[in-house]
Amino acid sequence: PVVAQNTVLVGGDDGRVHALDLVSGRARWVAATGGPVRGRPTVSEGVVYVPSDDGWLHALNLGDGIRRWRVQV
């Protein structure tokens, strides 16, 4: 997992990125990627970058998990 702005981000074999509140542990948002997420998310300037086994790199908003873009890698 990675922590950014009081949010814990973790990918799962369920093909989703889970964002949890650092203090309460409650879910803030969940975003589907299309394949298992085995790589660690990276955060820069409010964007979460997530490699997925679906062959895409996903860029998500840190605040709400909405996809900004994705690119096939």
Side-chain angles (χ1 to χ4, degrees):
V2 66
V3 177
Q5 298 179 13
N6 293 320
T7 302
V8 178
L9 299 154
V10 63
D13 281 342
D14 62 355
R16 298 187 285 176
V17 179
H18 302 265
L20 309 170
D21 183 271
L22 179 64
V23 176
S24 70
R26 291 184 183 171
R28 289 192 174 178
W29 52 261
V30 177
T33 64
V37 179
R38 296 193 176 109
R40 188 169 94 175
T42 300
V43 180
S44 178
E45 297 183 13
V47 180
V48 181
Y49 300 95
V50 183
S52 174
D53 282 4
D54 65 354
W56 294 83
L57 174 66
H58 302 265
L60 311 169
N61 288 329
L62 177 59
D64 57 17
I66 293 175
R67 184 181 344 187
R68 289 185 173 208
W69 52 262
R70 69 180 184 159
V71 63
Q72 197 166 20
V73 291

